[in-house]
């Protein structure tokens, strides 16, 4: 019987991986994904807004940037999603049995955050989740025998959390949860020297982040502190409800309902799940709830993103899988099977619906169909139309070069990291032309460092400015004082379902009055 569950787990991972590959091939990269391409383009000890491991992940799966396309960019998250499915199954199996492991794997696969958002899209969470789950596994192994647990588990725990921090700094919540649990429930672990060695390993891992920020006046700290600061912020219920319902959707509403039922049962039974140790339940809650509560609490004052709390739900996912295994033992197999099939169908339906909306929806989702900002706030436009625009722009550029109107060396100038990422990845990169950022650091982010990799626009030089209507900015207001002339060259239409959903405004910036696009550092 145990073997059958392991076979089913392998099939689940295989089918889910194939579906993720198909999804990755059907839609273009999103705003964040194209921006994170810059992390691989210029490796560093840290980047403006995130640690360095994501850039290395992209480098590895794109064969050191020798095989760059939408699929290879997403291959890392797809591979790690399969690893994560196996990891969460291994954790549940070690706590109960192989059937519980299979249930945990199914729940993971049905989570939109775990399976799609970070399981397909190239994000810092894609790699951070793997080390987060590994850390949970080593914590639980230590908990089996606190007084004589293998020293290597402490060291591997420290390494896992350290590597998770090198992917996304929110992994510090793991040490917070583990140490809080130790202080309140397992002080005997404070006598283990290996615990402090594990902490030291995590600290060594994050030294590159600290060193880079020391060199750059702690830019990352300042950037994120502004995002989460509640000083001088009033109560914002609109932000709270965005985050609250966003977290529910990102983690699958049906799955969140199961989490709520499981937590209610835990409360009724004083933290007990069948023969599972109460200490296991407490540890998982300590490692999961703080980041969920912090994200929700901050959203009362600042705009937060629902996926910030994503890994915190892994603890609830594990507890729910173990609770469902208990229900199976009580002869509820048909009902549990129906629930799991419904969860899988819902997530598959979301994937199919997303592809159909992005590729074929006739018009704009937001209904903003007029004016110079056509398509504003339609997030589906982030993942469609860029390849077609590149072909049209290449033709316009070539004609301008042949007529002597523009130099072949004229770069694209951007004022913000979006649409800077898309213009770099889908236009400048394949056409082999430069892209320079001219703007405030809080707007251009990593592009401030990329400027140093190429020649700036010299005095008297020309450049292009491309303004997609959904994020339109007037280049005359931005660069009117930097260039002698700002000329609208062409307006291109993007159609979907035979309706114009976005316009591309292509400008020529003529005669730079001073050097444009200098390197910042």
């Amino acid at each position: 019987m145990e073997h059958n569950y392991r076979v089913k787990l392998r099939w689940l991972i295989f089918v889910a991986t194939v579906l993720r590959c198909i999804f990755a091939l059907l839609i273009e990269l999103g705003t964040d994904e194209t921006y994170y391409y810059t992390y691989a383009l210029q490796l560093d000890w840290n980047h403006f807004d995130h640690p360095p491991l994501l850039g290395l992940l992209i480098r590895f799966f794109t064969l050191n940037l020798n095989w760059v396309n939408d699929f290879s960019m997403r291959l890392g998250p797809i591979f790690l999603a399969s690893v994560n499915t196996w990891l969460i199954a291994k954790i549940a199996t070690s706590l109960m049995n192989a059937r519980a492991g299979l249930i945990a794997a199914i729940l993971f696969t049905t989570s939109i955050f775990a399976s799609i958002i970070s399981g397909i899209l190239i994000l810092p969470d894609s790699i951070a989740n793997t080390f987060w789950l590994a850390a949970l596994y080593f914590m639980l192994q230590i908990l089996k025998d606190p007084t004589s647990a293998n020293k290597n588990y402490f060291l591997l725990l420290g390494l896992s959390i350290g590597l998770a921090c090198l992917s996304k700094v929110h992994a510090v919540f793991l040490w917070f949860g583990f140490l809080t649990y130790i202080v309140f429930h397992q002080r005997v672990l404070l006598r283990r020297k290996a615990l402090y060695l594990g902490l030291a390993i995590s600290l060594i891992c994050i030294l590159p982040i600290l060193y880079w920020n020391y060199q750059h006046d702690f830019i990352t700290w300042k950037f994120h502190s502004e995002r989460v600061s509640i000083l001088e912020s009033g109560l914002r219920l609109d932000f709270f409800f965005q985050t609250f319902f966003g977290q529910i959707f990102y983690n699958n509403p049906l799955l969140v309902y199961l989490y709520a039922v499981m937590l209610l049962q835990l409360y009724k039974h004083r933290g007990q799940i069948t023969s599972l140790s109460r200490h296991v339940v407490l540890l998982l809650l300590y490692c999961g709830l703080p980041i969920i509560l912090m994200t929700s609490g901050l959203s009362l004052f600042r705009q937060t993103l629902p996926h910030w709390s994503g890994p915190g739900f892994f603890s609830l996912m594990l507890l729910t899988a173990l609770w469902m295994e208990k229900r199976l033992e009580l002869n509820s197999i048909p009902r549990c099977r129906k629930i799991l099939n419904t969860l899988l169908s819902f997530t598959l339906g979301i994937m199919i619906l997303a592809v159909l909306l992005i590729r074929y929806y006739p018009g704009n989702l937001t209904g903003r169909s007029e004016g110079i900002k056509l398509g504003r706030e339609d997030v589906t436009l982030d993942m469609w139309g860029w390849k077609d625009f590149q072909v049209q722009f290449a033709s316009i550029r070539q004609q301008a070069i042949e007529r002597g109107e523009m130099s072949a060396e004229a770069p694209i100038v951007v004022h913000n990291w979006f649409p800077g990422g898309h213009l770099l990845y889908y236009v400048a990169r394949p056409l082999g032309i430069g892209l320079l950022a001219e703007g405030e650091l809080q707007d251009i982010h990593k592009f401030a460092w990329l400027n140093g990799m190429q020649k700036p626009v010299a005095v008297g030089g020309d450049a292009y400015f491309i303004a997609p209507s959904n994020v339109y900015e007037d280049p005359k207001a931005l660069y009117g004082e930097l260039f002698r002339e700002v000329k609208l060259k062409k307006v291109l239409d993007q159609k979907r379902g035979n309706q114009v959903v976005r316009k591309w405004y292509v400008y020529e910036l003529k005669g730079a009055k001073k050097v444009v696009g200098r390197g910042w550092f």
Side-chain angles (χ1 to χ4, degrees):
M1 187 63 70
E2 294 278 313
H3 174 71
N4 289 339
Y5 291 124
R6 293 191 179 94
V7 171
K8 290 179 179 178
L9 173 62
R10 295 189 196 108
W11 274 108
L12 173 69
I13 293 173
F14 174 76
V15 173
T17 301
V18 170
L19 290 173
R20 291 188 187 105
C21 289
I22 294 172
F23 185 92
L25 289 166
L26 290 176
I27 61 172
E28 295 172 7
L29 301 185
T31 301
D32 289 336
E33 294 180 279
T34 54
Y35 172 67
Y36 292 133
Y37 169 71
T38 65
Y39 287 18
L41 197 60
Q42 186 190 55
L43 298 178
D44 208 339
W45 292 111
N46 193 67
H47 302 288
F48 175 81
D49 29 20
H50 284 298
L53 277 195
L54 184 62
L56 293 173
L57 181 72
I58 296 171
R59 282 265 182 158
F60 181 83
F61 282 94
T62 58
L63 307 181
N64 200 28
L65 299 183
N66 289 303
W67 178 48
V68 178
N69 54 58
D70 295 355
F71 179 70
S72 66
M73 286 282 292
R74 288 173 169 156
L75 194 54
I78 292 171
F79 170 76
L80 290 177
S82 64
V83 173
N84 295 343
T85 309
W86 174 82
L87 264 175
I88 202 165
K90 184 173 180 62
I91 294 170
T93 300
S94 69
L95 293 173
M96 197 167 282
N97 54 46
R99 186 165 65 180
L102 177 61
I103 295 171
I106 293 173
L107 297 185
F108 183 92
T109 305
T110 63
S111 165
I112 295 171
F113 166 75
S115 196
I116 301 176
I117 295 174
S118 62
I120 300 175
L121 310 182
I122 183 71
L123 302 171
D125 306 84
S126 305
I127 188 167
N129 289 346
T130 302
F131 297 118
W132 187 290
L133 287 169
L136 289 181
Y137 174 77
F138 294 123
M139 286 182 197
L140 292 166
Q141 294 304 306
I142 292 169
L143 205 60
K144 287 182 177 180
D145 189 1
T147 57
S148 58
N150 192 318
K151 180 179 72 174
N152 290 335
Y153 287 138
F154 291 93
L155 305 183
L156 290 170
L157 171 62
L159 180 62
S160 297
I161 298 178
L163 292 174
C165 288
L166 280 172
S167 309
K168 197 170 183 179
V169 292
H170 70 351
V172 296
F173 276 94
L174 286 167
W175 271 124
F176 173 81
F178 190 47
L179 293 175
T180 302
Y181 164 78
I182 290 173
V183 169
F184 285 106
H185 306 285
Q186 202 68 263
R187 291 190 185 91
V188 66
L189 284 170
L190 294 173
R191 302 172 189 168
R192 298 294 305 272
K193 293 180 181 179
L195 173 66
Y196 304 101
L197 288 174
L199 279 164
I201 289 174
S202 292
L203 180 60
I204 291 170
C205 285
I206 65 174
L207 282 178
I209 301 174
L210 298 173
Y211 177 69
W212 185 92
N213 272 278
Y214 172 75
Q215 288 183 311
H216 296 87
D217 195 28
F218 293 93
I219 291 175
T220 305
W221 263 248
K222 293 176 180 178
F223 170 66
H224 287 298
S225 64
E226 289 177 3
R227 300 176 81 187
V228 301
S229 173
I230 62 175
L231 297 177
E232 301 179 4
S233 298
L235 190 65
R236 294 295 301 267
L237 291 179
D238 54 335
F239 288 167
F240 173 77
F241 286 120
Q242 286 175 15
T243 297
F244 178 77
F245 290 108
Q247 288 179 109
I248 290 175
F249 176 74
Y250 277 27
N251 291 281
N252 188 331
L254 303 177
L255 196 50
V256 173
Y257 171 76
L258 288 180
Y259 295 160
V261 173
M262 177 274 299
L263 289 172
L264 181 61
Q265 293 299 312
L266 273 181
Y267 177 76
K268 286 183 177 180
H269 296 91
R270 298 184 179 180
Q272 291 292 334
I273 295 181
T274 187
S275 59
L276 190 67
S277 166
R278 184 168 177 268
H279 285 280
V280 169
V281 175
L282 288 171
L283 175 60
L284 288 173
L285 292 178
Y286 277 124
C287 289
L289 292 182
I291 192 171
I292 297 173
L293 295 175
M294 187 212 70
T295 302
S296 301
L298 280 175
S299 69
L300 286 167
F301 306 96
R302 304 285 291 192
Q303 191 164 28
T304 61
L305 299 177
H307 72 278
W308 287 1
S309 62
F313 285 89
F314 294 154
S315 293
L316 303 185
M317 191 180 291
L318 282 164
L319 291 172
T320 301
L322 302 174
W323 169 71
M324 291 184 72
E325 167 60 17
K326 174 187 175 182
R327 300 290 297 174
L328 286 171
E329 291 180 356
L330 298 176
N331 299 317
S332 299
I333 294 177
R335 185 179 179 186
C336 285
R337 184 178 293 141
K338 183 177 180 181
I339 291 172
L340 294 174
N341 287 336
T342 301
L343 287 167
L344 287 167
S345 299
F346 178 84
T347 303
L348 179 60
I350 291 294
M351 292 178 71
I352 295 172
L353 178 62
V355 171
L356 293 176
L357 287 176
I358 291 168
R359 291 177 63 106
Y360 305 112
Y361 183 78
N364 293 115
L365 286 180
T366 59
R368 303 186 181 214
S369 57
E370 297 179 357
I372 201 167
K373 294 192 175 182
L374 175 64
R376 184 182 178 190
E377 296 180 9
D378 185 345
V379 295
T380 63
L381 296 179
D382 293 343
M383 296 184 172
W384 195 247
W386 295 95
K387 291 179 181 177
D388 289 339
F389 169 72
Q390 182 263 315
V391 174
Q392 296 180 71
F393 174 75
S395 176
I396 294 171
R397 174 175 173 266
Q398 186 59 38
Q399 291 174 16
I401 293 172
E402 291 173 356
R403 290 204 261 326
E405 298 172 352
M406 295 288 284
S407 165
E409 285 73 40
I412 298 171
V413 174
V414 298
H415 71 290
N416 202 301
W417 67 272
F418 65 91
H422 274 114
L423 293 173
L424 170 65
Y425 181 85
Y426 281 112
V427 182
R429 179 186 61 86
L431 294 180
I433 61 178
L435 183 140
L436 296 165
E438 183 68 35
E440 299 296 328
L441 182 59
Q442 62 265 30
D443 294 329
I444 63 176
H445 292 201
K446 175 68 176 177
F447 287 98
W449 283 261
L450 291 183
N451 277 0
M453 297 177 62
Q454 48 196 316
K455 292 173 58 177
V457 179
V459 175
D462 302 333
Y464 293 97
F465 181 84
I466 298 166
S469 61
N470 60 317
V471 288
Y472 182 85
E473 292 290 342
D474 184 0
K476 291 183 179 179
L478 292 170
Y479 302 131
E481 296 182 0
L482 295 181
F483 288 87
R484 175 176 47 81
E485 180 183 7
V486 177
K487 176 183 176 183
L488 178 61
K489 179 67 176 179
K490 191 82 172 178
V491 180
L492 303 170
D493 291 340
Q494 177 188 343
K495 291 186 176 182
R496 183 172 61 187
N498 293 321
Q499 293 192 33
V500 178
V501 293
R502 172 166 53 187
K503 291 180 180 290
W504 312 88
Y505 296 86
V506 180
Y507 291 87
E508 292 177 350
L509 310 180
K510 309 283 287 186
K513 298 177 183 178
K514 66 176 186 177
V515 175
V516 176
R518 290 181 184 274
W520 280 62
F521 302 99

